[in-house]
Amino acid sequence: MPVVFEKCAEDGTSFFLLNTPNSSYIISVLENGIVSHSGWSRRIEKWSGNSAIWKTDRGVNLPPDLDPRNLSLDTVPQEYSTAGKSDFRPGAIELALNDGTHTLDLRYFSHDIIEEKPQLEGLPATYSVNSGEVETVALKLKDTKYDIFVTLFYAVWAERDVICRWVKIENKTDGKIKIEKVMSACIDFAGSDYKMLQMSGSWGRERKVYMRDLVPGTQSIESRRGSSSHHHNPFVALLSEDASEDSGEVFGFNFVYSGNFEARIDVDYMESARFSMGINPYNFSWNLEAGASFTAPEVVMVYSKDGLGAMSRTFHDLYRERLCRGEWKDKPRPIVINNWEATYFDFDEKKLCVLADAAKDAGVEMFVLDDGWFGNRFDDRRALGDWVVNTQKLKGGLSYIVSEMKKRGLGFGLWVEPEMVSPESELFKAHPDWCIHIPGREMYLARTQLMLDLSRKEVTDYLFETLSGVFASADISYIKWDFNRYMTDAYSEGLETEQQQEVAYRYVLGLYSLLERLTAKFPHILFESCASGGGRFDPGILYYMPQIWTSDNTDALSRISIQAGTTLVYPPSAMSCHVSAVPNHQTGRITPLAQRAFTAMAGTYGYELDMTKLTKEEIAQIAEYSNLYKKIRYIVQSGDLYRLVSPWEKSDKVEKYAAWMNVSKDKSFAVVTVSWVYAEALAPKIVLKLKGLDGNADYKDLKSGKIYSAKELMYYGLLLANLWPGNASEQILLVRV
Ligand code: GLA
C-alpha cells in the first residue's frame, strides 16, 4: 500500500512514508509533536528515521524543557508552519484568536489512514473510484493552548505520481475565531537549487512559460481578480537545475480552485525554499464559529523524475480520468462552428442557416450560437441577465433554429454568461442589489457589466431556475459558459459587515454549487467554459466542464505558444481550439490554412469564421481537415502528448519551429505536427527525433507509405527538408505495422 507509518521505539519519533510509483514523500513527527517535512524525491523502500534537522545555536529555541538549545522552528523543515512562534518565515496559517493574538503552536494529535480519497464538501477535487487506488493520511494537529484542530490531508495515488493535499480547520473552542490565512499545501524543501516555472500572460496571450532561478526572499504569483485569471495560472513547478523536457526532477503544483489564489516560494537565510499555495490571503478572512469547521481547496502535487513531459502526462491522465466527470468525460468531442468571429452581434436566423449550410459541407458536427441571441443584446453594452430569446433576430425562437440545425444534421450549442448583469437590463431593474457592489460607492463597470452576487443563495437559485428553463426550451447539447469581467468592490448585501472578506470565496462556492446543480440536471450537455478566452483555465472549472476555450486569440502562431503552455498541465481534451479567418482578427496576421488547422487539431477542434465567404475549393479543403480530425481525435483527446520542441526553449533552432506528438495509449498510432513559428526565406532542415513510440515496432508513414523502425524515428529522427514558409506546417501520421 502507498502509505507506511512507523514508530521509532528509541526516541518516540515516528514517520510516514508516502509512496507513489516513482516518488516518496516523508513526514516525520518529532519527539515534541512537531510535524516536520523530511523530503520528497525518488521512491525509496525504507526510511532510516533520520529526519536530518539542521541545528543552530542562533535561533529562538523550541520550549526549553523539551528541546536542546540549538533546535529552532526557524530551521526545522515543517509540514504546516504557523505564525507567532520561532518560525519567522511566512506561515501557512494565520488565525485571529479570541485573546487578540495570532500565535498558533500546532502539534501532532492523531492520525487516520483512509482507504479512499474523501471528497471535499462543496469543492471540486480529484476523486478515487476503485479500491486501492488512493490511500489518504489525515494527520490531525492541535494547538498547544486552545481546542483548535488542523487536519492535513494527503491523498496518495498508488498508480500515479500524485499526492493531493488539503486542510481542514476545526474550532472546538467555545468562541468564534477568524481564519486570516489558510494555505492548502506547504513544503519546506531542504535547499533552493531549483528553477521556478510559472505560466503568466494576459488576455490573448495566456499561459506563457517563464522560468527563473530561486533567490533569497519571496517569489510569488497570485490572482486578486476574483477568478484564477489570464495573468497567472494557479500552477507552479520547481525544477532541479538540470531538468528539461525529458529529464531531471520536477515538482508540479496546481490549485483546484477558480478564484483568488497565491503560490509563493520563500527562500530563507539558510537557503531552504518554502513552497506554499492556497486561497489568496488578500481581502480574505473567514469567521469560524464555535463548533464549525472550514475545508480549504485541494492542491494537486505531481512528481516527475523524467522532466516536464512526464509531469504533464501525469497531470493529463489524472485530470481526464479522475477530475473531469459526466457523460462527456471520455466521449469524442464534436467539431463545432462558432458564429462569433463570423457574425459578431449581426445575425438573424437566415444568416445562421446559410452559415450552417457551409459548415455542414465542411464536416462540422455542432453549431454554436454565441453572444447576442437574447434580450436587447445588439452590442456588448446591455441585456446580460435577460435570458429570453430576441425574436427580432431569431424568428421562431430557439426551437426553430435548433430544428433547422437538426435538418442539417448538426447539434446545437448556445452561449451564456450567467454570472453577469448589465446595468441596462430587466434583471438589474428588478434586483439592483443582486450585483457585487459597495453601497454608496460608484460602481465600476467592465465591458459595461457587473458581476452578480453568487455568494447569495437567492441569486444562484434564480440562475438555476432561469438557465434550466433556457436549457430545456430546445434540444441544446452544448453550452459555452462565459465570464467576461473581474471582481471589484467585493461586498455582498446578503452578508454582515464582519463577513465581507468572505465574499470572493463565497462567490466561487456559489458558482460551484450552481454548476453542480446544472451539470447534474443536464448530464447530456457538453459544457465548455470561457472567460474572455482562457481567463479561468483551472482544474476547479474542469471538474464541472470538461473543456475550456483556450484563448480569444485564434492566430495560429500565437496559439502554438498559448497551447504549448496550456499542455504543461491541462490535457488536450480540455483545450478548445478553432480555425479562424485570415487576416486574423486579433493580430492581423496571415497564416496558411494548413497551419491553422494543424494547430487547432492539438485540442478539441472547431471553426470560428464566416464560411459563407469561402470558395467551394476552400470548403472542400476544410472538409478534408474535418475528416482528418475525426480520424485522429481519439488519439489527441485520449492519448499521450509528447512535446518535441516547445516555444519556451530558447536555443536558436527552436525559436524557429515548434513540434509535438500525440500517441495513442496502445502506441499503435501517432500524429506528429511541426509548425514554423518564425519563418526563414530558406528554412534550414529539421531533424525531428520522435518520442513515445513502441521501441520494438515498425511504423508506416501513411502519406509516403514508407516504413521506419521506431528506434530509427526516435534516435535518428525524421528529416523534414521541405518545410518552408509557404506550407509552414506539416502533419505526419504514423501507424504501427
Ligand atoms: C468573450 C469570449 C468570446 C465571445 C465573446 C462574446 O470575449 O471569450 O469567445 O464569446 O465573449 O461576447
Side-chain angles (χ1 to χ4, degrees), residues 418-432:
E419 299 163 67
M420 302 290 161
V421 62
S422 308
E424 193 186 318
S425 68
E426 296 305 316
L427 181 65
F428 189 75
K429 261 190 234 154
H431 298 285

Side-chain angles (χ1 to χ4, degrees), residues 77 86 163 224 241 246 285 320 427 505 604 636 654 677:
S86 59
I163 297 175
R224 300 180 173 210
E241 282 182 330
D246 297 304
S285 69
R320 265 190 308 233
L427 181 65
Y505 188 67
T604 62
V636 174
V654 296
V677 180

Side-chain angles (χ1 to χ4, degrees), residues 555-718:
D555 175 287
L557 299 194
S558 308
R559 274 297 187 115
I560 285 172
S561 147
I562 294 167
Q563 293 173 190
T566 305
T567 65
L568 267 183
V569 185
Y570 306 103
S573 57
M575 199 166 69
S576 176
C577 311
H578 295 172
V579 174
S580 62
V582 285
N584 178 270
H585 291 197
Q586 292 78 39
T587 64
R589 192 155 34 205
I590 294 179
T591 50
L593 179 60
Q595 188 168 35
R596 283 176 277 149
F598 294 150
T599 304
M601 285 185 205
T604 62
Y605 183 70
Y607 301 94
E608 180 126 0
L609 76 169
D610 188 354
M611 289 196 179
T612 63
K613 295 216 174 91
L614 301 179
T615 62
K616 272 209 165 117
E617 292 68 39
E618 283 169 323
I619 292 282
Q621 181 62 58
I622 289 189
E624 268 181 41
Y625 289 127
S626 299
N627 282 337
L628 175 61
Y629 187 72
K630 285 172 192 165
K631 287 194 193 106
I632 64 168
R633 73 176 141 195
Y634 82 95
I635 304 162
V636 174
Q637 292 172 13
S638 66
D640 288 323
L641 175 78
Y642 292 86
R643 289 179 296 263
L644 303 180
V645 180
S646 296
W648 59 81
E649 293 170 288
K650 283 238 171 74
S651 85
D652 259 6
K653 232 189 224 145
V654 296
E655 275 189 82
K656 294 181 183 124
Y657 71 93
W660 61 93
M661 276 177 80
N662 303 92
V663 184
S664 64
K665 282 281 175 198
D666 66 0
K667 297 188 182 295
S668 64
F669 207 109
V671 183
V672 184
T673 309
V674 194
S675 202
W676 280 104
V677 180
Y678 299 106
E680 298 276 6
L682 178 60
K685 69 170 193 257
I686 295 176
V687 179
L688 204 59
K689 293 186 181 167
L690 305 191
K691 298 177 189 172
L693 298 174
D694 171 357
N696 298 319
D698 290 343
Y699 286 82
K700 182 171 165 183
D701 176 341
L702 283 185
K703 209 192 282 163
S704 68
K706 249 184 119 164
I707 293 179
Y708 305 87
S709 79
K711 287 195 176 116
E712 184 184 332
L713 291 170
M714 294 197 287
Y715 308 152
Y716 294 81
L718 261 182

Side-chain angles (χ1 to χ4, degrees), residues 52-58 68 70-72 75 270:
I53 304 286
W54 175 266
K55 307 222 161 145
T56 173
D57 200 13
R58 296 277 164 203
N70 58 8
L71 193 60
S72 170
T75 52
M270 304 305 294

